[in-house]
Each structure stands twice: as C-alpha cells, then as structure tokens.
Amino acid sequence: QQQVKQSPQSLIVQKGGISIINCAYENTAFDYFPWYQQFPGKGPALLIAIRPDVSEKKEGRFTISFNKSAKQFSLHIMDSQPGDSATYFCAPLGSNYQLIWGAGTKLIIKP
Amino acid sequence: DTEVTQTPKHLVMGMTNKKSLKCEQHMGHRAMYWYKQKAKKPPELMFVYSYEKLSINESVPSRFSPECPNSSLLNLHLHALQPEDSALYLCASSHEPTGTNEKLFFGSGTQLSVL
C-alpha cells in the first residue's frame, strides 16, 4: 500500500521552542523520505530528506529522525522562529518513483 | 538559475473559455510535472513528462491537455473546465524522472478560478 499518515494537522509553538511533526508509512519499499515546506502563495520546497540507511540527519536547525522498524519518520525544528511558520509535508518516494504526500501540518510559531 | 517560472500567477476563466498555463525551467531537468493543489490539501499529481514524452497521466479528465514543446517548456491547456477545477496548479521539474535525483523544484503556481 502507498498510504502515508502525517500528524498533527496543525501545531502552535512558541518562538525558541521545538516543533515536531510525524509521518507514518506502510510500504516498506519506500527508500527516500523528504520533507517539503510550503509558504502561502508559493510552491513546496524541499527542506530536508533522509535515506533508510541512517537513523538521523541534521541540517542546521532541522533534523529528520527515522525509525525503520516502526515505519515512522519525523521532522524536528529546533529553536523555532516565526519565519518557520508554514505548511510541512512528508512525501516519501513511492514504488512508481512518484512522491506520496502526507496531508500536511500547518505550523504557527508565536513570537 | 534554479527557478521554475509559471505564468500567469492568477487566472479567472469561464466554463466555456480556453486558456493555457505555462511553465519554464532552465536547469537542464529532464522531467517535468503538473500538480493540482486544493486549499489546505497536499499536491495531487496530474501528469509527468520524461524526456519530453508523457510518461504518467493520473486519469486526468480530457479537459486538461498537457504539452511539452521542448525540454525547458511545459504547457497545460484548459478547456470547458468546471468550478470544481478551481485550484492552485503547480509545475515542477527534477533532474531525472526516477531514482537518481528525487528532488522536485516547484514553481509558485497559477491560482485558477473557474466561474
């Protein structure tokens, strides 16, 4: 199956706090796990991605944690800033080499 | 140049009109995509062009007609649309269609309203 479940649907975090967004998948054939960030009026942009041979990848304030046995991966945003307010999508690469999009998480960082 | 450029940014059309959306990239990417995105929803794949040939059509109604005149350009021709077709239409490109480079570069989209 190609199902992807993303949570939470929305998230409010204080400035400086940690934002955590989760994604669960069913298809063990997925082998590329990206997170896309979308601002209002713009197209999505790749934020960070991981392959299943590592359990964690960090780029600046953004970290992906990957749990292969649980079939879950999560996005952590450290020291969250108002400029991080956006919608985030997990979108693992499916068996037809096309992205399977989660439902999205609207993140609001309160100053 | 790492941009995907889409025109127009906004489009309002009647159900009997014919219009076209345009997309351009100069990154040498060999795959180009059309996505449709409704408000508060994820993008939905419509079409994929690989090396200027249509490789995926996600059962899109024939009132949407894609065209890839060359490796840098992608068009979406619209005819006899319905109000429920109102959405943000996103164009994207990637270096290769499958496997080797999965990163998609998206344009800012065309916000389409069908009256």
Side-chain angles (χ1 to χ4, degrees):
Chain A
Q1 288 188 350
Q2 304 260 66
Q3 200 168 7
V4 172
K5 292 182 180 179
Q6 184 175 339
S7 62
Q9 185 176 2
S10 62
L11 181 62
I12 299 174
V13 175
Q14 288 294 129
K15 179 182 174 183
I18 302 173
S19 305
I20 302 174
I21 305 171
N22 301 298
C23 191
Y25 62 95
E26 297 181 0
N27 190 333
T28 55
F30 291 164
D31 65 357
Y32 176 71
F33 300 86
W35 286 94
Y36 278 79
Q37 178 188 55
Q38 186 175 23
F39 293 104
K42 299 291 185 183
L46 179 66
L47 183 64
I48 187 171
I50 197 169
R51 295 196 181 276
D53 52 345
V54 296
S55 60
E56 186 174 282
K57 181 176 181 180
K58 185 175 182 179
E59 291 184 358
R61 296 185 293 109
F62 302 93
T63 300
I64 293 183
S65 297
F66 181 74
N67 186 330
K68 190 173 182 178
S69 61
K71 292 188 284 186
Q72 292 180 345
F73 63 111
S74 59
L75 174 68
H76 296 237
I77 305 174
M78 311 300 287
D79 186 26
S80 299
Q81 299 296 312
D84 297 329
S85 297
T87 299
Y88 293 82
F89 296 97
C90 62
L93 194 67
S95 56
N96 63 348
Y97 299 105
Q98 301 307 319
L99 299 178
I100 309 300
W101 296 79
T105 297
K106 184 173 182 179
L107 174 64
I108 297 172
I109 307 300
K110 284 197 164 184
Chain B
D1 185 359
T2 58
E3 280 193 353
V4 175
T5 304
Q6 288 188 245
T7 56
K9 291 191 182 302
H10 302 274
L11 180 62
V12 179
M13 60 186 291
M15 289 189 285
T16 59
N17 291 159
K18 286 185 180 180
K19 297 286 185 182
S20 296
L21 309 184
K22 296 185 184 300
C23 175
E24 191 168 2
Q25 58 87 13
H26 295 289
M27 295 177 278
H29 289 176
R30 304 316 302 265
M32 296 186 76
Y33 309 73
W34 280 115
Y35 280 85
K36 173 183 176 179
Q37 187 176 29
K38 290 278 204 178
K40 300 184 180 181
K41 296 291 185 181
E44 298 175 40
L45 183 64
M46 300 175 70
F47 303 104
V48 180
Y49 273 83
S50 301
Y51 296 96
E52 301 166 44
K53 294 189 187 305
L54 183 65
S55 60
I56 294 178
N57 176 340
E58 291 287 341
S59 302
V60 178
S62 60
R63 57 186 183 268
F64 295 91
S65 176
E67 178 195 20
C68 189
N70 60 55
S71 60
S72 299
L73 296 174
L74 187 66
N75 299 321
L76 185 63
H77 302 296
L78 314 173
H79 174 55
L81 294 193
Q82 302 298 310
E84 59 264 29
D85 296 322
S86 298
L88 181 68
Y89 287 84
L90 293 162
C91 174
S93 69
S94 65
H95 185 259
E96 294 288 345
T98 61
T100 56
N101 186 333
E102 301 88 348
K103 179 178 180 179
L104 294 189
F105 292 77
F106 282 88
S108 291
T110 294
Q111 187 64 55
L112 174 66
S113 296
V114 182
L115 304 178

